Amino acid sequence: MSNEKNVAEQEETVDTVQNENADADVEVVEADDVIVEDRTEASDEYEQKIAELQAKLDEAENKLLRSQADFENYKRRSRLDLEAAQKYRAQSLVSEIIPALDNFERALQIEADNDQTKSLLQGMNMVYNQLVQALKNEGVEAINAVGEQFDPHIHQAVMQVEDEKYESNTVVEELQKGYKLKDRVIRPAMVKVNQ
């Protein structure tokens, strides 16, 4: 019974306060309204935090994509470097053998006047042919020069002549053979060019 009495007293107090507040023009705010305002402020804070986290996530994704692209570029460059190293692995050896080929060619141009010299030249010619074949197997080839149009990428002009038998800018004579390894020029051909 005392609980009923307490409840009745609280209701009278609330009615009294409401009557007094009605006279004093005081606005009574219900608890539901306060909770709604707190919820909107909290949701604004959460939305701001969500926006900040979304921006950080976008930045992290962007960095990740850039890192992946950089890594793919690195792998591609490494693969190309490795392929080039394999393709031109014999370049230094070829560069050192070419002067020996030049000397063989000069020696083979000697006129043989006796049988002993002829057999020596024949043996040198066999060795020369073996060297040339080994270089061909590695992808080395001589650069064509005489009768070709002058190309500064594969020819080195050391002289100019005037010869009516040849067109202008045509290679007239080869002074030193040029060589290339696959598509790379090892040594350009030294040539005379018609004006």
Side-chain angles (χ1 to χ4, degrees):
M1 184 152 183
S2 65
N3 282 341
E4 291 177 7
K5 187 176 183 182
N6 286 338
V7 171
E9 284 177 7
Q10 286 177 353
E11 287 178 358
E12 284 180 21
T13 307
V14 169
D15 288 339
T16 308
V17 169
Q18 285 180 351
N19 289 337
E20 289 175 5
N21 288 342
D23 294 339
D25 289 332
V26 174
E27 182 178 339
V28 176
V29 177
E30 294 186 19
D32 291 340
D33 292 338
V34 173
I35 292 172
V36 169
E37 286 179 15
D38 287 342
R39 285 184 188 163
T40 57
E41 288 176 11
S43 67
D44 288 343
E45 288 177 27
Y46 289 137
E47 287 177 13
Q48 185 178 6
K49 285 184 181 182
I50 289 172
E52 289 174 6
L53 292 174
Q54 186 64 42
K56 287 182 181 180
L57 178 63
D58 292 343
E59 183 180 339
E61 285 178 352
N62 193 9
K63 284 181 181 179
L64 177 65
L65 290 174
R66 285 183 185 171
S67 295
Q68 286 175 336
D70 287 343
F71 183 67
E72 290 298 320
N73 288 338
Y74 168 75
K75 284 185 356 184
R76 183 180 49 81
R77 280 192 308 270
S78 296
R79 181 177 40 82
L80 292 175
D81 290 345
L82 183 62
E83 288 173 2
Q86 286 289 357
K87 186 175 183 180
Y88 302 113
R89 72 185 184 282
Q91 182 173 347
S92 63
L93 179 63
V94 169
S95 297
E96 292 178 18
I97 290 178
I98 287 175
L101 282 180
D102 293 339
N103 291 332
F104 265 110
E105 288 172 358
R106 284 187 206 100
L108 291 173
Q109 291 174 355
I110 294 175
E111 292 291 326
D113 55 357
N114 60 31
D115 290 339
Q116 202 173 20
T117 308
K118 286 181 182 177
S119 73
L120 179 66
L121 285 176
Q122 185 180 9
M124 286 180 61
N125 194 21
M126 290 170 61
V127 172
Y128 172 77
N129 288 333
Q130 285 180 330
L131 277 173
V132 169
Q133 186 59 45
L135 290 174
K136 280 184 182 178
N137 292 342
E138 284 297 317
V140 176
E141 58 186 54
I143 295 173
N144 295 329
V146 178
E148 301 286 326
Q149 281 291 329
F150 175 74
D151 182 357
H153 297 102
I154 59 173
H155 300 127
Q156 179 181 358
V158 292
M159 294 178 72
Q160 282 190 334
V161 294
E162 288 188 33
D163 192 344
E164 294 177 4
K165 292 189 282 184
Y166 294 98
E167 293 180 17
S168 177
N169 208 26
T170 301
V171 175
V172 175
E173 183 181 345
E174 182 179 60
L175 303 174
Q176 185 182 43
K177 272 189 177 181
Y179 294 93
K180 59 183 182 176
L181 174 63
K182 298 182 170 118
D183 57 351
R184 183 181 287 180
V185 174
I186 301 296
R187 182 177 78 184
M190 292 175 67
V191 296
K192 285 184 186 178
V193 180
N194 193 28
Q195 288 182 340

